[in-house]
């Protein structure tokens, strides 16, 4: 949240808490408009959405999982969790931030990265892709599309490197996450 | 399963099974099947309003005065959009209402059909939950879920959008009024250990205060009784928000008056200087706290609220309990009984409070030529306090004077738009109360500007011969707007003068109601008596001092102990009361 534009007209104290990145797993009824309810809440209350992934996960029970990455001070994160949990269509909100809970949680993201170039740049792009375990999923005489899977930070690093060897386009899935260990998220 | 019935009939059957005796609405193309079903039965009475906003506030009035769920029926498109203000009002004040809206038939949804609007999209942000019914099989479940969600936990408005083909479709109906909801589970337990820790704090406190709110009213009349017992047993001073007036009697010994922006000096000073604050069913709204980093700096704070999102939202507290207020009071009283507590003596604290009371913050300069607005409310109170009276208000100076000068001894008797601040709320809400309580005396205390926002509802009042009284404090201004222009904008009275006001007496007569006008203080009592004795709706045009302002006041951006007091405020103090930081606030 922008501290210079306080959420409440009277909230003129500046909170000196550092922002944290949190991954929230939100289990919702798979019904029309449910995503709009969740993101509408974020928009209305001025909360951040850094990435968002939605898919039906248990079709028999008609449940969907929304995996949402947000950032804010610890008190804002707490507000986000109770606000989301209050929505009638929400079954459960879990904080899947990597260092959270007994075993922590696992996060993965997939990205498709298009690189355009010839000569040395093209070779360098291929070498970097190999070093990052990225797959080449499409190739033409002057372009590649790489597919990379991993944690958000690794993908960020890969994309930053690709910038100097002809990066033209990126498409990312957003984060998928589950709690580690035998217990359900 | 019995015989198949239509969707429209299911709607009426649900109302019947939920114990709804009256609904407020306005027909239109997309709800004609429901109106046809209304025509063919006598269980549920339909009150025809003159604008859908009127229906929404009338449903709120019905709900707040009875504790039951209020219901309105509107057509698609403009019918639904006109109801949005009332839904938002109910959301902010936690009032249980169910809005049933018609929608174009399912095969036309998304085609920009005549009178089509994305009603569930529009109302998603102003309801607790809403539904678009696309299959007749879902209708009975959704209708009953709607009532359950509206009244459970923190109450609020819900909307069920029913396409016209679903109203015609036939299906099986089952009475599901006893069922709950698969995911929505409001708290129904309480953390006893936390309650015990609160009682520990109470035993150590020397300067405690109870700050109660609308949560007590919403918990039901039993919670108000428990609150009175709690105050009596502890001898703590008590103040309340605008929404909570009447939970503890306004004539009670420990009552400090309302707190907040236009609250009493003693209530705000006690909030500032207390060492223990028990917030029961209130939400630390900005009208209450004033400048938040100077809010009650030396107190331990306890917050009881049924909604977890209220906790630590504006003010960080020491102990929070997510539970129904009545349940908390009951549990705390049980623990206190067991312990036979030794509370500190609050003598010193009460002595200090008495000193603050001596400031006499609600005093105003009496006048024998013109009616002072405060005097008008005082006389209205004296002449109606022994009757079965319900008071509603619009929004503005008259609303604050009503809150300051009318003493409410019972819950559910005071209905005002607190959170949203909706001008035009009071009159339709009063009609809603009068429908629920036909024999009660229901008075809308109004301003000359507010009353014009929903004056068309006078037609409704005349049609059903409701005895609703409109008591206008007529100063020919949007008084509160003008007051802020004087405080903030160098007395430049921009567009807040009520030019070309109608003749309210003739206006009443044009509608078939009665009009009374009073200009002199000496005539006031007789005229009020006449208003009370006149059957049917009455507009009482009380012409009051033009330029009187509402005090005391915490100017925006200031703390509780930085109040402007009324009688002695100079024009210069008014002009300089708010600094640049305060000016950006509302």
């Amino acid at each position: 949240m922008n501290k210079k534009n306080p959420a409440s007209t009277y909230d003129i104290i500046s909170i000196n808490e550092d922002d944290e990145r949190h991954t929230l797993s939100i289990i919702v009824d798979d019904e029309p408009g449910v995503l709009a309810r969740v993101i509408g809440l974020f928009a209305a209350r001025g909360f951040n959405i850094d990435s968002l992934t939605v898919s039906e996960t248990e079709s028999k029970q008609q449940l969907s999982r929304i995996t949402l990455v947000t950032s804010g001070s610890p008190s804002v994160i707490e507000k986000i969790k109770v606000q989301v949990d209050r929505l009638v269509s929400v079954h459960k909100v879990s904080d899947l931030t990597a260092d959270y809970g007994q075993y922590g949680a696992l996060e993965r993201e997939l990205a498709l990265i298009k690189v355009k170039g010839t000569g040395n740049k093209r070779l360098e792009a291929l070498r970097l892709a190999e070093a990052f375990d990225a797959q080449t999923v499409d190739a033409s005489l002057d372009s590649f599309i790489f597919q990379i899977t991993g944690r958000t930070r690794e993908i960020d690093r890969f994309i930053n490197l690709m910038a100097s060897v002809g990066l033209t386009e990126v498409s990312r899935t957003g984060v998928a996450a589950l709690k580690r260990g035998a217990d359900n998220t | 399963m019995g015989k198949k019935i239509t969707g429209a009939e299911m709607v009426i059957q649900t109302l019947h099974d939920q114990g709804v005796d009256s609904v407020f609405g306005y027909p239109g193309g997309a709800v004609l099947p429901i109106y046809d079903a209304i025509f063919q039965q006598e269980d549920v009475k339909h009150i025809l309003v003159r604008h859908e906003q009127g229906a929404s506030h009338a449903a709120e009035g019905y709900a707040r005065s009875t504790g039951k769920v209020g219901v309105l029926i509107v057509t698609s498109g403009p019918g639904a959009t006109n109801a949005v203000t009332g839904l938002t009002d109910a959301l902010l004040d936690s009032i249980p209402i169910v809005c049933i809206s018609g929608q174009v038939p399912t095969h036309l949804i998304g085609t920009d059909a005549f009178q089509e609007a994305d009603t569930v999209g529009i109302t998603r942000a102003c309801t607790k939950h809403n539904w678009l019914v696309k299959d007749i099989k879902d209708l009975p479940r959704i209708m009953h879920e709607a009532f359950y969600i509206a009244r459970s936990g923190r109450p609020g408005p819900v909307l069920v959008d029913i396409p016209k083909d679903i109203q015609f479709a036939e299906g099986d109906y089952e009475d599901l009024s006893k069922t709950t909801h698969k995911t929505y589970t409001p708290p129904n337990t309480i953390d006893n250990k936390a309650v015990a820790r609160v009682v520990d704090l109470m035993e150590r406190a020397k300067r405690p205060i109870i700050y109660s709110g609308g949560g007590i009213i919403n918990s039901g009349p039993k919670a108000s009784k428990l609150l009175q017992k709690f105050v009596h047993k502890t001898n703590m001073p008590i103040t309340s928000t605008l929404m909570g007036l009447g939970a503890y009697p306004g004539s009670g010994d420990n009552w400090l008056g309302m707190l907040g922006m236009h609250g009493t000096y003693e209530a705000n000073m006690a909030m500032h200087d207390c060492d223990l604050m028990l917030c029961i069913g209130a939400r630390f709204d900005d009208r209450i706290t004033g400048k938040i980093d100077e809010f009650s700096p030396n107190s331990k704070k306890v917050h009881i609220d049924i909604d977890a999102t209220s906790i630590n939202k504006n003010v960080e507290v020491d102990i929070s309990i997510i539970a129904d207020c009545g349940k908390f009071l009951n549990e705390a009283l049980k623990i206190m009984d067991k312990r036979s507590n030794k509370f500190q003596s609050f003598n010193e604290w009460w002595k200090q409070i008495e000193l603050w009371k001596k400031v006499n913050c609600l005093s105003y300069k009496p006048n024998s030529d013109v009616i002072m607005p405060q005097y008008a409310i005082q006389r209205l109170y004296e002449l109606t306090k022994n009757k079965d009276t319900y008071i509603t208000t619009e929004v503005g100076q008259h609303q604050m004077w009503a809150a300051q000068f009318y003493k409410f001894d019972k819950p559910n008797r005071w209905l005002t738009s607190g959170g949203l601040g909706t001008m035009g709320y009071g009159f339709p809400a009063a009609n809603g109360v009068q429908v629920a309580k036909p024999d009660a005396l229901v008075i809308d205390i109004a301003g000359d500007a507010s009353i014009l926002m929903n004056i068309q509802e006078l037609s409704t009042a005349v049609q059903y011969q409701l005895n609703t009284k409109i008591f206008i404090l007529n100063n020919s201004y949007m008084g509160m707007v003008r007051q802020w222009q004087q405080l903030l904008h160098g007395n430049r009275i921009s567009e807040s003068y009520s030019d070309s006001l109608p003749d309210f007496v003739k206006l009443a007569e044009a509608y078939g109601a009665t009009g009374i006008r009073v200009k002199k203080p000496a005539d006031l009592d007789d005229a009020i008596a006449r208003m009370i004795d006149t059957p049917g709706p009455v507009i009482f045009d009380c012409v009051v001092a033009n330029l009187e302002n509402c005090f005391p006041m915490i100017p925006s951006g200031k703390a509780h102990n930085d109040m402007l007091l009324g009688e002695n405020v100079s024009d210069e103090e008014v002009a300089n009361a708010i600094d640049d930081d305060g000016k950006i606030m509302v």
Side-chain angles (χ1 to χ4, degrees), chain B residues 294-356:
Chain B
E294 289 174 32
F295 174 70
S296 194
N298 302 312
S299 60
K300 290 267 183 206
K301 297 175 186 72
V302 174
H303 190 183
I304 292 94
D305 201 300
I306 198 156
D307 180 1
T309 69
S310 292
I311 307 287
N312 296 332
K313 183 172 67 179
N314 300 331
V315 169
E316 296 269 334
V317 297
D318 299 279
I319 301 180
S320 61
I321 296 175
I322 298 163
D324 173 71
C325 296
K327 197 165 264 173
F328 164 77
L329 290 164
N330 194 37
E331 206 54 46
L333 282 165
K334 263 198 240 163
I335 293 174
M336 279 151 51
D337 278 344
K338 252 187 242 160
R339 289 195 194 174
S340 58
N341 304 74
K342 298 168 281 295
F343 289 121
Q344 309 279 330
S345 156
F346 303 143
N347 286 346
E348 288 300 311
W349 183 223
W350 275 110
K351 261 187 222 158
Q352 175 61 62
I353 289 170
E354 289 308 320
L355 288 179
W356 288 325

Side-chain angles (χ1 to χ4, degrees), chain B residues 528-549:
Chain B
I528 291 175
R530 194 145 53 89
M531 172 187 84
I532 296 168
D533 291 340
T534 306
V538 177
I539 295 185
F540 189 99
D541 184 15
C542 186
V543 180
V544 298
N546 279 143
L547 295 174
E548 184 66 1
N549 277 339

Side-chain angles (χ1 to χ4, degrees), chain B residues 10-238:
Chain B
M10 286 182 193
V11 170
I12 305 303
Q13 191 60 42
T14 308
L15 298 178
H16 172 81
D17 290 344
Q18 288 283 349
V20 177
D21 50 43
S22 308
V23 300
F24 306 87
Y26 203 103
V31 280
L32 286 178
I34 294 177
Y35 274 82
D36 197 37
I38 287 173
F39 189 83
Q40 300 180 46
Q41 55 85 48
E42 292 190 337
D43 276 359
V44 181
K45 190 179 175 195
H46 180 273
I47 307 294
L48 176 68
V49 296
R50 298 302 188 267
H51 185 290
E52 289 87 349
Q53 188 190 351
S56 60
H57 297 318
E60 285 188 273
Y62 177 92
R64 288 176 76 163
S65 58
T66 60
K68 298 193 331 192
V69 177
V71 178
L72 66 149
I73 301 174
V74 300
T75 193
S76 64
T81 57
N82 279 344
V84 163
T85 303
L87 292 170
T88 315
D89 192 90
L91 185 71
L92 280 183
D93 285 349
S94 309
I95 309 303
I97 59 174
V98 173
C99 177
I100 296 159
S101 56
Q103 182 55 279
V104 301
T106 41
H107 70 277
L108 287 182
I109 288 178
T111 65
D112 299 327
F114 178 63
Q115 293 197 326
E116 182 188 359
D118 176 11
T119 302
V120 283
I122 290 167
T123 59
R124 203 173 280 135
C126 63
T127 53
K128 200 172 156 183
H129 198 63
N130 61 14
W131 299 258
L132 170 63
V133 185
K134 284 182 152 175
D135 189 332
I136 185 72
K137 285 207 276 304
D138 297 330
L139 187 60
R141 173 183 59 81
I142 288 174
M143 283 300 297
H144 285 288
E145 275 181 9
F147 277 86
Y148 175 75
I149 287 172
R151 68 169 175 260
S152 310
R154 180 177 181 174
V158 298
L159 176 139
V160 185
D161 200 25
I162 312 176
K164 199 173 181 182
D165 54 326
I166 304 291
Q167 297 170 35
F168 276 122
E170 290 193 342
D172 295 317
Y173 173 84
E174 197 185 341
D175 179 3
L176 301 168
S177 55
K178 299 286 178 284
T179 56
T180 56
H181 188 267
K182 60 179 173 175
T183 57
Y184 181 69
T185 48
N188 59 2
T189 55
I190 190 160
D191 179 355
N192 290 323
K193 283 182 189 149
V195 181
R197 292 203 334 266
V198 174
V199 178
D200 293 344
L201 282 183
M202 285 162 57
E203 285 170 358
R204 289 202 294 274
K206 292 196 173 77
R207 301 186 309 279
I209 188 164
I210 298 165
Y211 146 44
S212 70
I216 306 256
I217 311 274
N218 271 339
S219 179
K222 207 177 147 205
S224 295
K225 287 264 178 291
L226 288 168
L227 179 71
Q228 289 160 34
K229 213 171 143 191
F230 187 88
V231 173
H232 183 73
K233 205 172 164 72
T234 57
N235 192 31
M236 288 182 180
I238 175 166

